[in-house]
Amino acid sequence: MAVKTPSFTLGIEEEYLLVNRDTLNLARAPEALMEACAAELSDQVSPEFLQCQIEIGTRVCGNISEARDDLKRLRSAISRHAAEHGLAPIAVSCHPFADWKDQSHTDKSRYNALHQDLGGVVRRALICGMHVHVGIEDDELRADLLPQLSYFLPHLLALSGSSPFWQGQDTHMSSYRVSVFDNLPRTGLPPSFESFGEYERTVQVLVDLGVIEDSSKIWWDLRPSHQYSTLETRICDVSPRLEDTLTLAATIQALLRMLWRLRTRNLRWRRYDRFLIMENRWRAQRYGVSEGLIDFGAREIVPMAELAEELVEILSEDAHALGSEAEIARLPEIVAAGNAADRQRAVYAGNMEAGATHDAAMRGVVESLVDEFGEG
């Protein structure tokens, strides 16, 4: 039986940190700020695990143009309401110098339960991410595409890396967020399933035992959404710049359409062992776009600049069909200019060369992140 063409709708979720506009330290979200945001944005805004975090989610968008308009509106609203309280949002996966031990979790039942269940591990999770939902209404198709898209998760992580600093120190990682998040259970690359039924039966084992209440407590880098008929990509660091977020979202959408297109021609992307993809995931986490990823077929390390050009080429038909050619065309530009982690390091180095102290140079990095958020 032929599978109905997926909708390939888009939904983008971003988590932001709030900083004091004068000190650039992390700040708790005042109740009045959350109320004002909710009054304007309704259920498109919500608190996150830590009191210094805020989360937004776009509407279901038919294309990347709709996603741009909605995400721009959401970012603008958060920034405007935060300014009324002397605060500013930054879209970055780790605050460059904040100490996780100084933060408190949000007093809501879900987050209280997480704090109780995960103990000290979750207390350290002063991290933010970006999730992209793509509409794939057929469950069996979602199960089939999940392991194929997994091959590209390291590419997305390398492009999105925005967390080089942790507690005032350069971690020499492009995405330190992944190092923190991987301490939680049920994270990392997803397993492969032969059917959607096998996925459901596997999850049900933990539900029946009372370990988790539902699949929303599975935090793989890529998962079938618990709430929507989508595949939810969770590998990416959150991007300071709106246009980078949109490029990554468009790439994920086009990758899924490309994999579906291959399936309609009785073709598929080769599945590689999770062990091998994990090696590329590590390389992306460590080096970002400055080093290459392993091409397992060619058995060589290919520079990210070459991989970005290849992505533009293999996704050209899909980008045209989805109306995202301009966004996909930016992939080589991200590699050439460096990802967000590279930019933060450059700001820090420039401040130090100008004679700033370490602390002042770090605050300069946060200032640059405030500016980049406002560019949208």
Side-chain angles (χ1 to χ4, degrees):
M1 181 177 178
V3 175
K4 183 181 177 182
T5 302
S7 64
F8 297 114
T9 52
L10 270 176
I12 302 171
E13 300 170 351
E14 289 188 316
E15 298 161 350
Y16 307 139
L17 295 170
L18 293 170
V19 299
N20 181 288
R21 195 59 189 83
D22 295 325
T23 67
L24 302 172
N25 295 326
L26 285 177
R28 296 181 181 182
E31 191 65 32
L33 167 59
M34 296 306 301
E35 289 174 355
C37 290
E40 180 176 348
L41 304 174
S42 188
D43 61 355
Q44 288 189 264
V45 64
S46 63
E48 246 299 326
F49 177 70
L50 295 175
Q51 293 179 343
C52 59
Q53 294 175 302
I54 189 167
E55 180 179 12
I56 59 88
T58 66
R59 302 184 179 105
V60 177
C61 300
N63 53 52
I64 198 65
S65 178
E66 289 181 18
R68 172 180 284 99
D69 291 344
D70 204 28
L71 188 57
K72 191 170 184 177
R73 179 181 63 87
L74 292 166
R75 283 197 174 205
S76 176
I78 299 298
S79 186
R80 177 167 25 87
H81 289 300
E84 295 171 358
H85 297 271
L87 306 178
I90 55 175
V92 65
S93 281
C94 293
H95 187 282
F97 60 81
D99 190 332
W100 60 267
K101 294 185 290 294
D102 297 333
Q103 309 308 314
S104 300
H105 77 275
T106 302
D107 185 16
K108 288 187 177 293
S109 58
R110 173 179 171 83
Y111 299 129
N112 291 337
L114 280 175
H115 188 262
Q116 178 66 30
D117 292 345
L118 301 178
V121 172
V122 78
R123 277 203 63 213
R124 188 168 168 260
L126 180 53
I127 53 176
C128 294
M130 186 263 281
H131 307 158
V132 177
H133 292 259
V134 177
I136 308 285
E137 290 73 20
D138 183 272
D139 286 341
E140 294 305 328
L141 181 58
R142 283 200 284 168
D144 186 49
L145 296 185
L146 183 141
Q148 296 182 68
L149 184 61
S150 293
Y151 176 86
F152 296 98
L153 295 177
H155 300 66
L156 299 167
L157 178 59
L159 291 159
S160 70
S162 73
S163 47
F165 298 112
W166 179 255
Q167 298 191 126
Q169 299 297 318
D170 190 334
T171 65
H172 303 287
M173 309 283 282
S174 179
S175 175
Y176 192 70
R177 165 192 144 264
V178 171
S179 300
V180 177
F181 196 67
D182 280 352
N183 284 281
L184 274 64
R186 303 178 294 279
T187 57
L189 293 174
S192 294
F193 298 100
E194 294 303 319
S195 67
F196 195 78
E198 182 186 1
Y199 161 73
E200 290 184 309
R201 288 190 296 274
T202 301
V203 172
Q204 196 62 38
V205 171
L206 299 186
V207 173
D208 290 345
L209 290 169
V211 175
I212 57 175
E213 58 266 33
D214 54 50
S215 62
S216 68
K217 293 294 180 66
I218 292 174
W219 300 303
W220 298 325
D221 298 338
L222 173 66
R223 69 181 184 183
S225 171
H226 168 72
Q227 190 172 2
Y228 309 108
S229 295
T230 65
L231 275 178
E232 179 188 0
T233 305
R234 304 167 50 85
I235 187 68
C236 293
D237 274 13
V238 65
S239 296
R241 293 176 175 171
L242 176 123
E243 286 302 325
D244 288 349
T245 294
L246 294 167
T247 289
L248 290 161
T251 300
I252 293 165
Q253 181 192 37
L255 281 167
L256 281 168
R257 189 186 185 280
M258 179 270 292
L259 295 172
W260 165 80
R261 174 168 53 86
L262 290 179
R263 177 186 166 113
T264 65
R265 301 171 186 177
N266 290 321
L267 300 170
R268 64 183 300 111
W269 201 265
R270 180 176 174 183
R271 292 190 189 184
Y272 288 95
D273 191 277
R274 190 174 183 272
F275 169 76
L276 295 178
I277 299 176
M278 279 295 293
E279 191 64 27
N280 266 347
R281 185 181 185 268
W282 160 251
R283 293 185 63 83
Q285 176 185 348
R286 171 67 176 86
Y287 302 113
V289 296
S290 65
E291 299 284 342
L293 300 178
I294 303 168
D295 182 321
F296 300 113
R299 299 207 173 189
E300 62 182 11
I301 297 174
V302 179
M304 278 301 301
E306 186 175 330
L307 293 175
E309 294 287 355
E310 287 180 359
L311 279 175
V312 173
E313 181 178 352
I314 66 173
L315 297 178
S316 60
E317 179 179 335
D318 308 284
H320 177 74
L322 295 167
S324 58
E325 290 168 298
E327 287 76 19
I328 300 296
R330 291 190 66 252
L331 287 169
E333 296 175 22
I334 293 177
V335 176
N339 64 15
D342 296 325
R343 292 199 304 276
Q344 289 175 59
R345 287 196 175 101
V347 170
Y348 176 80
N351 290 339
M352 293 296 287
E353 289 172 5
T357 64
H358 169 74
D359 287 350
M362 277 290 172
R363 294 186 189 283
V365 173
V366 180
E367 185 71 47
S368 72
L369 293 167
V370 171
D371 292 343
E372 287 192 337
F373 190 97
E375 289 173 4

